[in-house]
Amino acid sequence: MRGVDAKSITMNEHTLQVLEFELIRERVAAEAANSLGVERALNLLPSTDGNYIQLRLDETSESRRLLSSRSAIPLGGISDIRGLLRQAQIGGVLNASDLLEVSSTVSSSRRLKAFLVKTGREQFPLLTDLSNSIGIFTNLEEGIEKAIGPGGTVVDSASPELAKIRSRRRTAENKIQDKLNGIVSGPQRSLLQDPVVVQRNDRWCIPVKAENRGALGGIVHDTSSSGATLFVEPQAVVEIGNEIRELIVQESAEVYRILAKLTDLVRQCEASLFTTVSTLGNIDFIFARAKYADKLDAIEPSLSTSGMTRLLSARHPLIDKSLVVATDVTLGSSENQILIITGPNTGGKTVTLKTVGLLTLMAQSGLHVPATRAEINIYEEIFADIGDEQSIEQSLSTFSSHISQIASILRDINDNSLVLLDEVGAGTDPEEGSALARSILEYLRSRGARVIATSHYGELKSYAFSTDGVQNASVEFDEKTLRPTYRLLQGVPGSSHAFAIAARLGLPAEVLSSASISERDVNSSTETLRALEDARRNAMTDANAAEEARREAEEFRRRAEKELTEYEGLRREIRQKALEEARALIKKTQEKASNIIADLRRNEAKQAEAEHLRQEIKLVGNDLEDEIEDLLTLPEQPASVETDLGRPLRQGDRARVTTLNLAGVLLSDIDGDGKVPVQVGAIRIVVPANVLRPLAPAPQKSLPVTSSSRLSLAEDAAQISQQITLLGQRADEAVNNVDQYLADARSAGLKRVRIVHGKGSGALRRAIHERLRTNDIVSDFFTAEPSEGGIGATIVELNDD
């Protein structure tokens, strides 16, 4: 067993092996960027902890979103340095290459942390949280970068002492080179075998002919294989050579001291480095899962703890997606605690079995699954006994192997186990095997396990039909082409189609005809089971429809009660708002009156001006009375009777709000959600269209109250409304819209129109009246009757063309 996560499911290796989960791990590992992620992927195991699984799934989804943004994830340059950390921990000194590997990892981790922080917590909260566990090791990174060059050697600037030693060594080496070059090119050149300078045993030498050994003098450090050449360090450079050797020893000691100092920095950061490395491995593993999910075109499954598994267009992840046939599977309801799949060989029964098992393992491992929709139960145990019937010899030893495996399964199952059995009971006498298979399935049913079993036994079809919680299923077979379609049909028992397949493969007709009686018996039994299964399914469909209707009725009653409560609250809110606006209006009017009174006092000598100001106060008082009456007195049941417009309500129509028993004017057409703003007195409310009833007289289509609402003179008069609504508009905008509307109304032949401006402060009404006085096409205008809106509307009579 591999290294197991503390939250992992108790999983036997046999199940992982037969479902080929190892191949899934290898394919995830192939997407990892470094050995840390590879290790995590190869150790991947399912979990039973719902919160832990959901976290893994969310991590995979989040990293897929980040990958889809085409951002380059900086995962390069990261190595598994845990061995180096342990070496430092026990007192070892890391060499320059080791330290360079540590530096590369910490600098890469710094860049990755900065990238994840930059992506933003709002969009990628899980990855951002993981970045918090990545340490920043500025001193260590800068120390290694300063001391060790890209080639993995300690540079001169690592310390002043090292720079001094290497400077002296270079000077000595230059001096010795000069002396040796002088010998090589001088009068003693004839003593040499070749005019070159070479190194032997870390000493600088020249090749001297053997017979001239005594003529040059010095120390012999090596000879050629023939003995004809001696490699001599001339006496003139021996002292310099000794100095260089001493400098080399000093240099080695200083380099060791520098490496030891840097290793000590690593040791000081050991705990944080271990945490960082672990996090880096986890992040790489998460992105490996995301990349694999993208390759599979997979989705995040929803998790269930109710025992239900629902897969829509599920595909086996190890089969080429251009070749695999997607299938739908439902398992775990009261109808199909156990699913028995029957059908022809090579029809896809085993693939369906493995698809459900493998997708369950993947989901519980935090992997996305190849399907268009997936709800997968979290199982405590998953068991599988799957063998390739086409490739193994049916013998006692094979039967014994399967029974031993099933016996082990039966000992360990509970009511949250998934059991997958391929050709249950096969490999022995058909009658005994069928009875044994039925007993095994009944035992599993009594223990509450969820089961998918494949079989050729006809007796199991009858068992499925007659037993609660057990459902027949089959792999579809095209009887015209005599080939399987690989689609799973639940609720339908299958047939092996032995006669059809035998005929296609060339079995003589006389052989088939002698078996026709048995075929008719088998077909008759199968058709009877199918008919009974259809009847039961139809009955369950009707029962489900009745239950759905009951739930809908209950939901409708609940919504009605809720809406009634909400509308009662709305009535109170309208009255409260009206009261608040009235108070505000009173305050505003008091301030205006105070200003006028102050003007009166300053102008007491000017009687004409004083009289004018008194009239202004009177007008303000009248406006105030009108406004307060409008605000505090909600309209009662409208005087106009309800009518049928023969069309939907539109902007400008008058209607009764049935839930409030108030009359109002629609401020716009009904939107896509079935709601519309309505002006009720001085209050604007938004209500569902289904609570509105049109009031007579019903206006025709309201003219849009925008500056672009000019109609062609050729349009029919019926297209021009007899009223225009200006509620909520500014005075200048409203005046322009009135001019345009009146021109269009007269062109359409209208003689009398209505302008709805509302009561408000009276400013909009006064601005419109002022414009009407100067409009040549207006013959007269006056305030509307109470039934037509009172002071909130003006009736306009138009001149003839």
Side-chain angles (χ1 to χ4, degrees):
M1 182 73 84
R2 300 177 184 274
V4 178
D5 195 291
K7 299 177 181 293
S8 292
I9 188 173
T10 303
M11 178 60 61
N12 61 75
E13 286 288 349
H14 179 77
T15 296
L16 298 177
Q17 178 183 350
V18 297
L19 292 178
E20 300 177 285
F21 188 67
E22 180 65 26
L23 294 179
I24 297 295
R25 291 191 285 213
E26 290 175 1
R27 295 191 181 189
V28 175
E31 302 298 331
N34 56 62
S35 60
L36 294 166
V38 169
E39 179 184 0
R40 290 276 188 136
L42 294 178
N43 287 332
L44 176 63
L45 281 175
S47 171
T48 58
D49 186 324
N51 292 331
Y52 182 72
I53 297 170
Q54 190 59 60
L55 174 62
R56 277 186 163 179
L57 291 172
D58 291 343
E59 289 172 343
T60 306
S61 296
E62 193 172 290
S63 55
R64 288 184 75 181
R65 292 201 308 274
L66 185 52
L67 287 174
S68 69
S69 69
R70 302 192 180 278
S71 299
I73 317 299
L75 290 169
I78 296 172
S79 303
D80 183 1
I81 60 172
R82 290 174 296 181
L84 301 178
L85 298 180
R86 295 187 186 97
Q87 182 181 340
Q89 184 182 30
I90 62 176
V93 175
L94 304 181
N95 63 36
S97 296
D98 294 339
L99 289 166
L100 202 59
E101 191 172 352
V102 172
S103 175
S104 174
T105 298
V106 298
S107 62
S108 297
S109 69
R110 172 177 49 78
R111 289 191 295 272
L112 178 59
K113 181 185 180 79
F115 172 83
L116 294 177
V117 171
K118 185 179 179 181
T119 59
R121 179 175 178 79
E122 291 185 2
Q123 286 186 298
F124 307 102
L126 298 178
L127 293 173
T128 304
D129 284 347
L130 280 173
S131 70
N132 294 333
S133 299
I134 299 176
I136 298 296
F137 308 94
T138 304
N139 291 338
L140 176 61
E141 187 179 349
E142 290 179 351
I144 296 175
E145 183 180 349
K146 177 183 177 182
I148 300 175
T153 58
V154 179
V155 297
D156 295 358
S157 58
S159 74
E161 182 63 23
L162 181 62
K164 179 180 177 182
I165 291 171
R166 286 184 173 171
S167 176
R168 290 173 57 194
R169 178 180 170 181
R170 281 190 292 272
T171 299
E173 287 177 341
N174 289 336
K175 186 185 297 183
I176 204 171
Q177 288 291 330
D178 289 342
K179 287 184 175 293
L180 291 174
N181 287 333
I183 296 172
V184 168
S185 60
Q188 296 175 304
R189 178 177 180 178
S190 60
L191 302 176
L192 307 180
Q193 194 71 263
D194 293 299
V196 295
V197 177
V198 297
Q199 266 195 320
R200 288 294 186 272
N201 300 324
D202 293 329
R203 306 289 288 201
W204 292 103
C205 304
I206 55 177
V208 179
K209 296 176 182 178
E211 62 269 22
N212 296 327
R213 175 178 180 177
L216 184 65
I219 301 172
V220 177
H221 289 286
D222 198 3
T223 62
S224 65
S225 57
S226 64
T229 304
L230 305 177
F231 295 96
V232 179
E233 181 182 17
Q235 190 64 43
V237 298
V238 169
E239 288 302 321
I240 302 175
N242 290 339
E243 180 185 357
I244 292 173
R245 289 299 297 260
E246 291 176 4
L247 290 171
I248 289 173
V249 172
Q250 293 176 23
E251 179 182 358
S252 296
E254 180 61 14
V255 166
Y256 183 85
R257 186 191 69 79
I258 293 169
L259 294 177
K261 182 179 179 181
L262 293 174
T263 301
D264 190 54
L265 285 177
V266 172
R267 191 179 299 112
Q268 293 172 21
C269 303
E270 173 205 339
S272 295
L273 283 169
F274 266 114
T275 300
T276 295
V277 169
S278 176
T279 302
L280 294 175
N282 191 24
I283 292 173
D284 186 27
F285 176 42
I286 290 170
F287 279 102
R289 301 200 306 261
K291 293 172 186 175
Y292 183 56
D294 284 346
K295 281 192 172 182
L296 286 180
D297 193 20
I299 63 163
E300 178 183 341
S302 61
L303 302 177
S304 168
T305 55
S306 65
M308 281 298 301
T309 291
R310 296 183 182 89
L311 298 172
L312 183 63
S313 296
R315 293 174 277 110
H316 194 290
L318 300 177
I319 302 176
D320 189 327
K321 62 182 179 182
S322 65
L323 302 175
V324 67
V325 177
T327 190
D328 301 340
V329 182
T330 300
L331 177 70
S333 69
S334 59
E335 182 182 358
N336 56 13
Q337 174 193 338
I338 296 178
L339 194 62
I340 300 177
I341 307 175
T342 52
N345 292 333
T346 70
K349 300 190 303 295
T350 303
V351 171
T352 298
L353 204 69
K354 287 186 174 182
T355 298
V356 174
L358 192 51
L359 265 58
T360 301
L361 290 177
M362 290 175 67
Q364 291 189 228
S365 301
L367 299 176
H368 289 187
V369 299
T372 57
R373 184 186 303 172
E375 176 187 0
I376 296 180
N377 185 63
I378 302 175
Y379 291 104
E380 294 179 20
E381 303 279 356
I382 301 176
F383 301 99
D385 179 55
I386 300 175
D388 190 348
E389 185 183 24
Q390 287 75 39
S391 64
I392 59 175
E393 181 182 0
Q394 296 295 298
S395 63
L396 180 61
S397 60
T398 300
F399 175 75
S400 299
S401 174
H402 284 295
I403 292 301
S404 296
Q405 182 63 34
I406 292 174
S408 174
I409 292 173
L410 298 183
R411 284 194 298 269
D412 296 333
I413 62 161
N414 58 33
D415 61 358
N416 193 23
S417 297
L418 174 63
V419 182
L420 307 172
L421 302 176
D422 191 26
E423 299 298 344
V424 58
T428 187
D429 176 78
E431 186 174 348
E432 293 180 351
S434 174
L436 187 59
R438 179 169 180 158
S439 295
I440 290 170
L441 294 175
E442 183 59 25
Y443 182 87
L444 292 169
R445 187 180 75 90
S446 67
R447 295 299 187 274
R450 271 62 178 178
V451 183
I452 302 180
T454 68
S455 177
H456 285 290
Y457 293 137
E459 290 83 352
L460 293 185
K461 302 175 190 177
S462 300
Y463 165 70
F465 176 76
S466 61
T467 307
D468 290 339
V470 185
Q471 185 182 46
N472 275 308
S474 60
V475 286
E476 188 178 49
F477 188 82
D478 190 331
E479 297 188 4
K480 292 182 179 179
T481 63
L482 301 180
R483 295 184 183 279
T485 67
Y486 303 103
R487 291 179 57 245
L488 183 70
L489 304 176
Q490 289 192 225
V492 180
S495 169
S496 295
H497 297 279
F499 294 98
I501 294 173
R504 180 169 63 86
L505 296 176
L507 197 67
E510 57 268 25
V511 175
L512 291 172
S513 63
S514 65
S516 61
I517 296 176
S518 298
E519 180 186 15
R520 284 197 299 271
D521 292 342
V522 170
N523 288 341
S524 176
S525 175
T526 299
E527 290 303 319
T528 299
L529 282 174
R530 287 184 178 178
L532 290 172
E533 189 70 42
D534 288 342
R536 183 173 72 168
R537 190 164 56 252
N538 290 337
M540 292 191 66
T541 299
D542 291 343
N544 291 338
E547 176 62 20
E548 181 64 23
R550 186 196 66 78
R551 285 197 298 267
E552 288 179 358
E554 178 62 25
E555 177 64 17
F556 181 79
R557 183 192 63 78
R558 186 189 64 78
R559 285 203 307 268
E561 291 179 350
K562 180 181 178 182
E563 289 180 0
L564 180 60
T565 302
E566 289 176 350
Y567 282 123
E568 287 299 324
L570 183 58
R571 285 181 65 90
R572 290 192 295 271
E573 180 184 345
I574 291 174
R575 187 169 292 276
Q576 179 61 31
K577 184 176 180 181
L579 182 59
E580 292 172 357
E581 292 186 7
R583 289 170 177 164
L585 183 60
I586 290 171
K587 181 179 180 182
K588 179 180 177 181
T589 306
Q590 286 174 339
E591 292 174 353
K592 188 173 182 180
S594 296
N595 292 334
I596 293 173
I597 291 170
D599 287 341
L600 276 173
R601 288 173 178 169
R602 286 193 297 271
N603 294 281
E604 286 181 355
K606 300 179 181 179
Q607 293 299 321
E609 181 67 21
E611 183 60 29
H612 174 72
L613 292 175
R614 289 190 184 92
Q615 290 299 324
E616 284 290 326
I617 292 175
K618 183 177 181 181
L619 289 174
V620 170
N622 292 337
D623 283 346
L624 179 59
E625 290 177 3
D626 291 340
E627 295 291 346
I628 294 176
E629 179 184 0
D630 180 49
L631 289 169
L632 297 181
T633 305
L634 292 175
E636 298 299 329
Q637 178 70 25
S640 301
V641 296
E642 295 181 8
T643 186
D644 182 8
L645 296 177
R647 59 167 174 78
L649 285 165
R650 295 189 294 232
Q651 178 183 358
D653 289 345
R654 295 179 62 244
R656 182 171 67 89
V657 183
T658 57
T659 52
L660 302 175
N661 196 30
L662 300 176
V665 177
L666 275 67
L667 298 181
S668 72
D669 292 344
I670 299 168
D671 65 18
D673 293 332
K675 295 184 178 179
V676 62
V678 178
Q679 189 76 29
V680 179
I683 306 300
R684 180 184 183 276
I685 60 175
V686 177
V687 298
N690 59 11
V691 303
L692 297 176
R693 300 293 181 268
L695 295 177
Q700 298 180 26
K701 179 179 179 182
S702 297
L703 185 69
V705 289
T706 67
S707 59
S708 61
S709 59
R710 183 172 301 278
L711 297 176
S712 169
L713 294 176
E715 290 181 319
D716 188 79
Q719 293 180 281
I720 302 297
S721 172
Q722 290 184 328
Q723 77 172 31
I724 180 173
T725 301
L726 305 171
L727 298 174
Q729 296 187 23
R730 301 187 311 274
D732 57 346
E733 179 186 9
V735 166
N736 290 335
N737 286 331
V738 165
D739 285 345
Q740 177 180 302
Y741 168 69
L742 293 178
D744 291 335
R746 190 176 72 162
S747 298
L750 298 181
K751 302 299 184 182
R752 189 174 189 268
V753 296
R754 177 171 174 261
I755 300 175
V756 179
H757 42 63
K759 300 176 183 179
S761 65
L764 182 59
R765 181 178 72 248
R766 287 192 292 272
I768 292 170
H769 284 187
E770 186 66 29
R771 177 55 64 92
L772 292 176
R773 291 189 185 97
T774 62
N775 194 317
D776 293 338
I777 66 173
V778 176
S779 65
D780 194 12
F781 67 91
F782 47 85
T783 300
E785 296 295 326
S787 62
E788 293 183 295
I791 64 171
T794 296
I795 305 300
V796 180
E797 294 180 350
L798 302 176
N799 293 324
D800 295 331
D801 290 344

